[in-house]
Amino acid sequence: QKEVEQNSGPLSVPEGAIASLNCTYSDRGSQSFFWYRQYSGKSPELIMFIYSNGDKEDGRFTAQLNKASQYVSLLIRDSQPSDSATYLCAVRRGGGSNYKLTFGKGTLLTVNP
Amino acid sequence: GAVVSQHPSRVICKSGTSVKIECRSLDFQATTMFWYRQFPKKSLMLMATSNEGSKATYEQGVEKDKFLINHASLTLSTLTVTSAHPEDSSFYICSARGALGYTFGSGTRLTVV
């Protein structure tokens, strides 16, 4: 079982719709969860992070975390063509000095005008 | 705040030569930096964790004698790909951990011919 799993997509949504991106993780000791956006040929940029169960909203983005189900998602409201990118889910196991992130393979999102 | 500068952004080298990639945190101190490699359409694979003033911790399967990492100061880590071969051609990305979380450099596209 892969540590962090994402549907590779592509996920295609029309402009203005809600895009829903999902991620599951295998390590129950994971404590911090991150969503990154990566445009082709570029490095990842942080969208948001979440530590606690529930929802966290930032503008058009909402991260949802359910530790019991080992599931984290990202909702993008009012999707724009500029949101077309690969979205990477990353997980950090907490505790001590282990700060490394484990990334999923990413989901390619295409927002159609 | 939290800017990470990585250079060169693109380098082409001959097989058998060495290439050094620099990663600098410009406005914060990074006790921990990470080096990733990303092949086309694949996710980021952590190569090593670099801690200031100590030896880097390499992930399984990454040759430490081939990928030399130096983290001599709180703002600079370098990755040297020694005796590069065409199969080392990839996108190398550094990440620095600071108070605001993890910030990625802009990446280095290495092509070995």
Side-chain angles (χ1 to χ4, degrees):
Chain A
Q1 182 185 9
K2 293 195 172 98
E3 293 185 59
V4 180
E5 293 208 54
Q6 295 181 255
N7 187 328
S8 60
L11 173 65
S12 184
V13 300
E15 184 174 355
I18 295 176
S20 178
L21 303 158
N22 305 316
C23 173
T24 58
Y25 59 95
S26 60
D27 186 351
R28 282 197 173 275
S30 301
Q31 296 189 5
S32 309
F33 307 87
F34 303 80
W35 282 101
Y36 286 87
R37 176 173 61 196
Q38 186 177 26
Y39 292 109
S40 181
K42 304 294 185 183
S43 67
E45 51 182 342
L46 180 67
I47 298 174
M48 61 193 307
F49 57 85
I50 186 168
Y51 301 142
S52 304
N53 276 328
D55 295 0
K56 179 181 179 182
E57 187 174 317
D58 183 0
R60 297 187 294 114
F61 301 95
T62 299
Q64 299 174 316
L65 174 62
N66 183 325
K67 289 186 179 181
S69 300
Q70 295 174 244
Y71 173 91
V72 58
S73 66
L74 179 70
L75 300 178
I76 306 175
R77 289 181 298 281
D78 189 23
S79 296
Q80 302 296 308
S82 58
D83 294 327
S84 298
T86 296
Y87 288 79
L88 300 169
C89 170
V91 172
R92 178 196 153 190
R93 196 178 202 282
S97 59
N98 184 359
Y99 298 114
K100 67 179 184 181
L101 300 181
T102 301
F103 283 84
K105 286 188 174 181
T107 298
L108 176 62
L109 171 67
T110 301
V111 181
N112 302 305
Chain B
V3 177
V4 173
S5 172
Q6 182 177 344
H7 71 90
S9 59
R10 192 176 292 267
V11 58
I12 300 173
C13 71
K14 290 185 177 180
S15 187
T17 61
S18 296
V19 174
K20 180 186 281 189
I21 302 170
E22 288 192 353
C23 180
R24 292 181 184 271
S25 54
L26 296 185
D27 49 3
F28 66 101
Q29 294 183 332
T31 54
T32 306
M33 289 188 176
F34 305 89
W35 287 95
Y36 295 87
R37 180 167 53 182
Q38 187 177 36
F39 292 107
K41 299 189 186 295
K42 301 292 185 182
S43 188
L44 279 74
M45 295 302 296
L46 180 65
M47 298 175 67
T49 301
S50 165
N51 291 297
E52 185 266 337
S54 63
K55 290 184 179 179
T57 302
Y58 290 82
E59 295 298 301
Q60 192 173 10
V62 178
E63 300 174 59
K64 61 181 180 182
D65 293 331
K66 180 170 180 62
F67 300 99
L68 302 178
I69 292 172
N70 184 283
H71 193 162
S73 77
L74 287 172
T75 59
L76 174 64
S77 177
T78 61
L79 167 68
T80 301
V81 182
T82 63
S83 187
H85 291 284
E87 57 264 32
D88 298 324
S89 298
S90 188
F91 190 45
Y92 292 84
I93 311 173
C94 71
S95 172
R97 178 183 165 270
L100 299 180
Y102 302 81
T103 304
F104 283 85
S106 55
T108 298
R109 176 78 55 193
L110 171 63
T111 303
V112 185
V113 296

